[in-house]
Amino acid sequence: MSKRVRVRAPELVGKGGWLNTGGKDLKLADFRGRVLILDFWTFCCINCLHVLDELRELEEKHRDTVVIVGVHSPKFAHEAEHQAVVDAVERYGVEHPVLDDPELTTWKQYAVRAWPTLVVIDPEGYVVAQHAGEGHAHAIERLVEELEAEHAAKGTLRRGDGPYVAPEPEPTVLRFPGKALALPSGNLLVSDTTRHQLVELAEDAETVVRRIGSGVRGCVDGSAEAAEFSEPQGLALLDEGAVVVADTVNHALRRVDLATGAVSTLAGTGRQWWQGSPTSGPALEVDLSSPWDVALFGGKVWIAMAGVHQLWAYDPVTETVGVVAGTTNEGLVDGPGPEAWFAQPSGLAATADRLWLADSETSALRWVDPDGSVHTAVGTGLFDFGHRDGAAGQALLQHPLGVTALPDGSVAVSDTYNHALRRFDPATGEVTTLATDLREPSDAVLVGDDVVVVESARHRLTRLRLPEEAVRVGSVAHRTQREATEVAPGAVRLDVIFQAPAGQKLDIRYGPSTRLLVSATPPGLLLAGEGAGTDLTRTVELDPAVTEGVLHVSAMAASCDDDPAEAYPACHVHQQDWGVPVRLTEGGADRLPLVLAGMDD
C-alpha cells in the first residue's frame, strides 16, 4: 500500500446547525473510528445532485464503517436560508447528516473551491483524499476498502450504526412537485418529484384523480400501479393520447398512455452521459444526463439536458435523439446552437417561432430561433442574480426553473429562488413582477384566464388571476458570496491536481486522456492562456489593468483499471468546472492549484 499524505482535519462548524441527526450537534470527534466522507454541496448544483446519487450505493454497502456528512455551502442568497436547506435535504432524499454552513466557514477551513467536492477523512481524523466534481465514487470505494483493512488491522476502526436520524414524513397530497401540464381533459398532470410519481388532479388543481407510478424510486416500465420513476420533472403532450416525461434521475424520457396510465421508455439507457459517449443515435441506445424539462417545438421533443448544460431533441418519427445546442461548457454564450453555452437549462416553453428556456445557473431567460440560434433576453452570467425589474438589460432573476408562454406573446418566468412569478415582454423589453410570496415556484401552466403555479416548497398548486398591472418590488442585486483568491498580476500557473486512483492508470490508448479549458470573465482578464489543451498544467497571463474577475477552468481526466489480464478494462471519467473569483494583488500567489482528485502535496 503506497504512503498517503495525511493532514489533520479541521473541525466541522456551520451557523445553521445539523440536520438529520435528531437534533444532536456533532463534532469531528464523534466520527473517530469511522471513515468520514464530507460532501461539500449546494442544492442548486446539478453536479452535486449527481454526486448524491453516486454515493447512495457506497453509503448502503459500507453503512457500518462509513459516515457521509453533507456540508451545505450556498452559492445563491436563497440557499443560505435554513428552511431552504431543510427542504432540499428532504427533496433530494439525503439520508445522512447535513451541516448547514451558510457563511462557508467549513468550506474555507477545507480550502474548497468547487461544488461538489468530496473530502475523505480516515478513522484517526486525518484528511487522506480530496475529489472535485463527479465520477469519483469508484475511486472513493477503493480507498474506503483500503482504509477499512488498514484500520481494522491497527484496531482503530469502529463499526456500528451511524448518527443519521430520519425526519418524520409529512402527510401532504404532493411532496415537492416539479412541473405541471394541462391535459386535453381539462385535468392537470403534476410530477410529484420526491415521491417518484405523477399525479393527475381534477380541474380544481386539488382533487386527486389517479397516481401513476408505484412511488418507489426505480426505472420500471409497466402499468400505472407497477411503473417506477426517479425524481421525474418535465411533462409535455406528445400527442392527444400520450405524455412524455423527463425522468430526471433515471436519465431517461418516459411515455405515459393517458387512457391506461401505462408507462414505457422512449429514450435513454438509464446510465448517465459522460464525455466521449455518443451524442446522437437510436433513442434507447444513447445515454442522457438529468433531463429536467421537455417541450414540443418544430415537430420534435426538445430536452433541457441540465446535467450537461445542453439542449437535445427526440424525434418521435425516427425514434432518435441527439444534441441540438450547447458545448457542455457551463456559462452564458449566445450564437449558433453548436457554439452556445448554457448552465443547467431547467424550463422550456414553445411558441410558434421561439423555444423559451429558463437557464437556471446563469439566472437567465433565453430563447432559440427556428434556425437553432440562441439568444438571451435577461441575464448576464453565472455570478450575478437578484430581484430587479425594468429594462431587460439590467433586470435580475435568481435561479429560475420554469417558463410559461402567455397569450399576449410575453412569457411568465417561475423565478424560483426569488419566490416570485416574473414576466418578460419581448415587445417592450421590460421585466415586471406578477406575483410574490410564492414558495420556490418551479413551473406554471395556463388554465383559462388564470395561471396555476407549482409552489414546490409549499407542496401545492396555487391558482392566480393574471394581474393587469405588475406587482412593484424593491430592487435587490447579489453576487456569489465567495471570497476572491489573491493572485499576482502577470504569469500565474494553473495546476489541476489529478492522481489516478489506486489500481488505475491514465487511459492513453486513443490519445491524450486529459483536457483543460480556460476562459475568464471579463475576457480581458486573460492576456494569454485562454482556450483548450490536453495538459493539466498551464501558465496564464493576467492583465494588471483588470483588478478582479473570475477564472473559468474546466478539467477532465480518464483513467482505466490497470489489470493486464483484463482485455477490456473498466474506464472512468473524472470532470469538474471551477469558477474561481480572483483579485489581482502585488505579492499575490503565482500558482493556483485546483484538486480534481488526490491531494496537493
Side-chain angles (χ1 to χ4, degrees), residues 290-320:
S290 297
W292 208 274
D293 204 4
V294 283
L296 201 63
F297 181 62
K300 296 182 179 180
V301 177
W302 285 59
I303 310 164
M305 202 73 78
V308 283
H309 319 298
Q310 291 180 312
L311 301 179
W312 289 43
Y314 166 75
D315 188 331
V317 176
T318 62
E319 297 183 348
T320 56

Side-chain angles (χ1 to χ4, degrees), residues 60 156 440 450 483 551:
E60 181 59 34
T156 49
E440 292 192 18
D450 297 338
E483 291 184 0
L551 285 174

